[in-house]
Amino acid sequence: MEYQKLRDRMVENQLIPRGIKDPRVLDAMRRVPRHIFAGGHNLANAYDDMALPIGEGQTISQPYMVAIMTELLELKGTEKVLEIGTGSGYQGAVLGELAKDVYTIERIASLSDRAAAEYRTLGSDNIHVRTGDGTVGWPEEAPFDRIIITAASPQIPEPLMEQLAVNGILVIPVGSRYSQQLLKITKTANGFTEQYHTPCVFVPLIGKYGWEEE
Ligand code: SAH
């Protein structure tokens, strides 16, 4: 199948040379059909080394960004994961391959509806989609072993810190509206440790604990 070739090439050319090592992450990205999530008009370049428009002014992240954020989460397969910013649903699908359960929140209903429909079609029944402001988290399902925010935030939304389990990991792009850096937070019994990673550019996280709508 043509798409399998494109995915293998994406992993070999974009992910491995940039240092993605976790074999489970590489395998998941060889499997998940990115072109399905990239949307009809993007089929030809769905596996290219870039973010792509998915409608509503939003984007599907570059494959490398999905890979590094996923690798930073150190998933073993037993975790309950919260994702903020479902977007196309692609990142969530990768998480669904690597964790036990994924809870993903998207503020734009047309996007969350489309992602939920793709998950139903693919039979990804461990992925749960909600429409709403993800900056307040998903309190009924907390605590989460892992939290990933795939939109740019001025700071870490307080409710998400609270909903992170002890020994849990949270990954978030923090910075200005136009440029950020990936931050990995590990919650310990007596506080938090933080580690900065690669610079990045995400669309803004808009909500009660994020940016105001422009
Ligand atoms: N993870 C996505 C990429 C998301 S782009 C993928 O794999 O395709 C960021 C998404 O975050 C956008 O769809 C945007 O609408 C959404 N978003 C922004 N603020 C949000 C909020 N407060 N709660 C939930 N989603 C939000």
Side-chain angles (χ1 to χ4, degrees):
M1 166 78 175
E2 179 76 1
Y3 289 120
Q4 187 58 61
K5 222 181 279 174
L6 290 172
R7 280 200 290 280
D8 290 344
R9 213 178 291 158
M10 170 187 83
V11 168
E12 299 307 317
N13 297 346
Q14 302 174 35
L15 308 186
I16 294 173
R18 292 193 182 117
I20 303 299
K21 288 194 180 67
D22 185 335
R24 296 184 71 241
V25 174
L26 296 171
D27 277 350
M29 292 188 65
R30 283 190 189 99
R31 283 196 303 271
V32 176
R34 181 172 164 91
H35 62 281
I36 303 274
F37 295 98
H41 57 289
N42 286 323
L43 282 183
N45 48 7
Y47 294 93
D48 288 358
D49 190 11
M50 58 174 87
L52 296 166
I54 54 170
E56 309 285 351
Q58 308 303 322
T59 55
I60 177 173
S61 306
Q62 177 195 26
Y64 170 66
M65 198 48 62
V66 172
I68 189 165
M69 292 182 88
T70 308
E71 185 169 74
L72 288 173
L73 292 177
E74 300 175 21
L75 297 167
K76 305 286 181 260
T78 56
E79 299 83 0
K80 186 172 186 178
V81 181
L82 175 66
E83 178 193 28
I84 312 303
T86 314
S88 69
Y90 175 65
Q91 171 76 72
V94 172
L95 297 170
E97 292 284 305
L98 297 170
K100 183 160 181 284
D101 281 295
V102 178
Y103 293 80
T104 181
I105 310 177
E106 168 58 54
R107 63 183 284 269
I108 301 174
S110 60
L111 296 178
S112 51
D113 289 349
R114 200 161 77 200
E118 298 300 356
Y119 294 149
R120 272 194 300 276
T121 307
L122 294 170
S124 311
D125 51 17
N126 64 335
I127 309 177
H128 315 278
V129 183
R130 169 184 270 191
T131 307
D133 177 7
T135 67
V136 301
W138 194 321
E140 305 89 320
E141 291 292 341
F144 296 96
D145 304 304
R146 302 288 187 266
I147 298 180
I148 172 173
I149 296 98
T150 62
S153 188
Q155 75 274 313
I156 304 163
E158 192 55 42
L160 301 184
M161 287 296 253
E162 280 160 20
Q163 291 173 32
L164 184 62
V166 174
N167 297 322
I169 298 172
L170 177 149
V171 174
I172 182 169
V174 280
S176 73
R177 257 180 190 260
Y178 305 103
S179 84
Q180 309 89 37
Q181 205 168 355
L182 276 190
L183 174 61
K184 172 179 173 174
I185 299 280
T186 307
K187 189 169 183 172
T188 65
N190 21 349
F192 299 94
T193 60
E194 47 175 48
Q195 230 183 356
Y196 279 93
H197 292 268
T198 182
C200 48
V201 180
F202 279 82
V203 298
L205 181 74
I206 294 166
K208 188 169 177 205
Y209 298 89
W211 300 101
E212 280 180 26
E213 202 149 0
E214 266 185 336

